[in-house]
Amino acid sequence: MSAPAVRNVRVRRARALVILDPGPLTTLQDLGRPGWAHLGVTASGAADLPSLALANRLVGNPEHTAALETTYGGLRVRIDARGADGAPGTVWAALTGAPCPAALDGRPLGMDVPFAVADGQVLALGAPVAGLRTYLAVRGGPEVPATLGSRSTDLLSGLGPAPLAAGDVLPLAPPGGAMPGVDLAPRAALPRDFVLRVVPGPRDDWFDAAAVAALYGEVWTATSRSNRVGVRLAGPVLGRARAGELPAEGMVRGALQVPPNGQPILFLADHPVTGGYPVIGVVHAADLPLAGQLPPGAAVRFRKPR
């Protein structure tokens, strides 16, 4: 069951995130809840796990600490940072993932750097200039109840906290480890044309030779009919060599499942644990974070791993 965040924006807490505007979609994510697929629970977790981990490292949090995952920017959040005596203080925060215009009380901020936030300042994000999902980690991390060992929002199953809404208040846990003393964590820029390595199978024999050639030879487009469950791709129709349907079988993150219309769906963090359509290939595990950053309209090419 989804657990709502605390909703009372007028209550000032010593250390808290106050959601003023979640943008198109902002959820709480951590490293997910792996190990429950036998109960029908997918791992969920951040769509771009390395970006989440980096954001936490930049503010001295353990990598599994929950952070905000915002889709296509638009987030506005007030950060309350007062000491136990009620005196105004500061808290450290960091932004990673899809680069976007960001400002703290109107002052521009950079990505992949830790920055100090004074009590009551408002952080605002614009639309990403590349990629799709931006991560905001705050020192200590949001302190909300865990479900099956995770604070991640699973949109498909409804586990974890509900997607954040204006007025939600997320108390912050006390800081853990020491600050790392890092000023900047330089990273490669996200591409505009995405290339993902895809391992063939396990049901590529259900498709004719032209379909397999098209999968690896044509350019695909990520459509707007996409979310954390999966990215619907548009391109040539992948024709089958066999008729009929499969019994439901296990699905994994990165599976390219092909429904009867021949247009593949790339499963992401909140994918179903089983499915009845054949999987023509699976995105290489190392490329899954890149898949989690596919914005609508992006060109996608698939390559076989060497």
Side-chain angles (χ1 to χ4, degrees), residues 5 28 32-33 40 48 65-66 77 93 130 140 160 178-179 188 190 208 230 247 253 278 283-284 296 303 306:
L28 204 60
R33 48 181 70 85
D48 180 352
T65 304
V77 56
M179 283 291 289
L190 287 169
D208 58 35
R253 193 167 177 165
V283 172
H284 193 286
R303 297 286 184 266
R306 295 181 177 176

Side-chain angles (χ1 to χ4, degrees), residues 12-118:
R12 295 297 301 273
R13 296 170 189 273
R15 288 165 40 86
L17 302 179
V18 181
I19 306 300
L20 305 179
D21 186 343
L25 175 67
T26 297
T27 60
L28 204 60
Q29 298 294 338
D30 56 19
L31 299 183
R33 48 181 70 85
W36 299 98
H38 63 294
L39 298 180
V41 177
T42 196
S44 190
D48 180 352
L49 288 168
S51 290
L52 169 85
L54 175 61
N56 275 321
R57 291 199 302 271
L58 283 170
V59 296
N61 289 340
E63 290 187 354
H64 59 74
T65 304
L68 272 58
E69 177 187 275
T70 185
T71 301
Y72 207 62
L75 173 69
R76 290 182 63 244
V77 56
R78 190 186 80 213
I79 301 177
D80 293 343
R82 290 180 293 165
D85 58 356
T90 60
V91 65
W92 286 92
L95 293 164
T96 63
C100 62
L104 188 64
D105 276 359
R107 178 172 59 86
L109 292 171
M111 300 287 299
D112 306 323
V113 298
F115 55 89
V117 183

